[in-house]
Amino acid sequence: MHRRFEVIPGAQAQVDWGNEAKILAHMGIPKVYSFHMTLSYSRDPFCCFTTGQDLQTFFDCHRRAFAHFGGVPMTLVYDRTKTVFRCHVAPGEAVPLHPEAVGFAGHYDFDVLAAYRPTGKGRVERQVLIVRDHVLSGRSFSSVEEMDAAFTAWVPQRRAQAHRAHQQIIGERAARDHVALKPLPETPYLVAERHLWPVGKDCLVAFGGNLYSVPARKVRPRQLVEIRATKSQVMLHSTVADNSGVTLLATHPRAIGRGVRIVEEAHWDGLPTGKGRRTTTGDDLPRPRPERPPGEQTGPLQALLHRAAATRIEVGRRPLSVYDELTGTRPFTTRPSTRETS
């Protein structure tokens, strides 16, 4: 049992993913996902299709949805997606948010709500099935852009229908929803992957199977730097700001593929190149030191270090009775046997 809820215009939107499986497998794209955002008051839908569910793609879909609606709702409802919530907690406890989700929500000024049961965001889950049945079913596509265009062409048809729940035209309620939305900020929020990684002895930082350079005069080997990567560029920051309060070390375009090395030559200024090393024709090379004859070995230590020379050291030989006289002990003698005395 649960309590049914209603919202006012512009108060809430619900977000969910849909798995469209291998709809583009014939084009060499293994998986396609659909991102959905539905305004809870009017059920006005938004949908776009992607080939991944990573952090940057997730919030890029948010920006596209806000542009589609012309504003930002006061709250967004999610399920337990890892791109928003860091871990699962028991009902009633505070849900820890992903740092990028906190920054994104603060930039666009909306609150994040966690649905503890499927019925908490049933409006967007129903929209996933509607888009699948009315936009994708029975059709073939060659790209995600073509799928996006198919949804955009279907939206006016959807807005002209009366919703079975509120019995009103979706487009009329959507107009009230759009007016109540918060305005979009002047600049979009830049979502980036963040990692800590050490600098190599060659002033290069490894990320995503590629190498990116940092200034040699500002780092030291094995120093940890922060990597902030977007889809188009990689920014390398120091963990400690310099005297002017700046942490940015370098900015590079993000490499495509793996095994790419992106180096700015100015970053290697001050490092030895080997061009100033002296060369010679070989005539003025220093002559090797002549070896000493075996008889010129000086001292017993050097003689012992060479086994051949050690064998030629003369050792004095004396009877054991000499040591007995020096120590005042009785020399060891054997007792004659009984057979001999008899």
Side-chain angles (χ1 to χ4, degrees):
M1 304 294 290
H2 63 274
R3 178 180 297 180
R4 185 178 182 85
F5 69 93
E6 295 294 339
V7 296
I8 60 175
Q12 185 190 97
Q14 299 180 2
V15 177
D16 199 10
W17 283 106
N19 188 352
E20 309 309 330
K22 301 180 179 180
I23 192 171
L24 295 179
H26 62 284
M27 301 301 298
I29 302 176
K31 289 185 179 180
V32 176
Y33 305 94
S34 57
F35 172 88
H36 298 265
M37 183 182 292
T38 302
L39 297 180
S40 297
Y41 172 75
S42 62
R43 275 69 164 186
D44 190 25
F46 169 79
C47 175
C48 63
F49 300 91
T50 68
T51 57
Q53 293 180 311
D54 56 277
L55 188 70
Q56 300 174 21
T57 301
F58 181 64
F59 287 111
D60 182 63
C61 293
H62 280 69
R63 290 191 292 266
R64 296 174 60 181
F66 296 157
H68 173 79
F69 295 133
V72 183
M74 289 185 288
T75 58
L76 291 181
V77 181
Y78 302 91
D79 56 9
R80 303 300 183 86
T81 176
K82 294 182 179 180
T83 49
V84 179
F85 307 108
R86 300 182 64 181
C87 62
H88 299 304
V89 296
E93 296 184 5
V95 182
L97 298 179
H98 192 284
E100 287 297 332
V102 175
F104 188 87
H107 184 80
Y108 288 95
D109 193 20
F110 65 85
D111 295 330
V112 177
L113 298 180
Y116 287 101
R117 56 181 64 88
T119 53
K121 60 180 188 63
R123 304 180 186 193
V124 69
E125 290 188 347
R126 175 57 185 162
Q127 189 63 40
V128 174
L129 301 178
I130 293 174
V131 171
R132 191 172 295 162
D133 292 340
H134 292 81
V135 178
L136 304 180
S137 180
R139 302 178 62 180
S140 60
F141 303 91
S142 59
S143 64
V144 292
E145 291 78 13
E146 187 176 341
M147 299 172 67
D148 290 339
F151 170 80
T152 303
W154 174 78
V155 169
Q157 178 182 348
R158 177 60 176 171
R159 288 176 174 173
Q161 298 174 352
H163 199 274
R164 288 187 296 179
H166 52 62
Q167 300 298 322
Q168 296 182 21
I169 302 299
I170 295 177
E172 296 177 358
R173 288 175 68 104
R176 296 192 290 270
D177 238 347
H178 297 172
V179 172
L181 295 176
K182 297 180 181 180
L184 292 170
E186 296 181 358
T187 57
Y189 182 81
L190 184 64
V191 178
E193 300 179 49
R194 298 174 185 265
H195 306 275
L196 284 177
W197 208 251
V199 179
K201 293 182 179 181
D202 50 4
C203 300
L204 298 178
V205 180
F207 172 70
N210 303 301
L211 297 173
Y212 302 89
S213 65
V214 290
R217 299 182 183 274
K218 296 184 179 180
V219 295
R220 64 182 185 275
R222 306 302 300 171
Q223 174 184 337
L224 290 178
V225 297
E226 182 182 9
I227 303 172
R228 302 178 188 177
T230 65
K231 287 187 174 181
S232 59
Q233 63 180 359
V234 174
M235 297 164 288
L236 304 171
H237 289 258
S238 174
T239 55
V240 179
D242 57 12
N243 297 332
S244 57
V246 178
T247 60
L248 181 63
L249 296 173
T251 302
H252 299 284
R254 187 160 184 172
I256 300 176
R258 301 176 68 88
V260 181
R261 187 176 67 177
I262 299 181
V263 178
E264 186 176 341
E265 294 297 333
H267 290 168
W268 284 349
D269 290 347
L271 295 180
T273 61
K275 295 181 179 179
R277 194 174 184 89
R278 294 179 56 191
T279 58
T280 178
T281 59
D283 297 335
D284 54 348
L285 290 177
R287 296 181 179 179
R289 297 177 61 183
E291 297 183 0
R292 291 185 176 183
E296 296 185 4
Q297 299 289 348
T298 58
L301 179 60
Q302 292 185 1
L304 291 175
L305 293 177
H306 301 279
R307 180 175 300 179
T311 56
R312 291 189 294 270
I313 299 177
E314 296 182 1
V315 180
R317 298 177 181 273
R318 55 181 63 89
L320 296 179
S321 60
V322 176
Y323 299 98
D324 294 336
E325 294 178 358
L326 294 175
T327 57
T329 59
R330 185 178 179 181
F332 177 77
T333 57
T334 57
R335 179 178 299 178
S337 62
T338 308
R339 183 177 302 176
E340 293 177 354
T341 55
S342 61

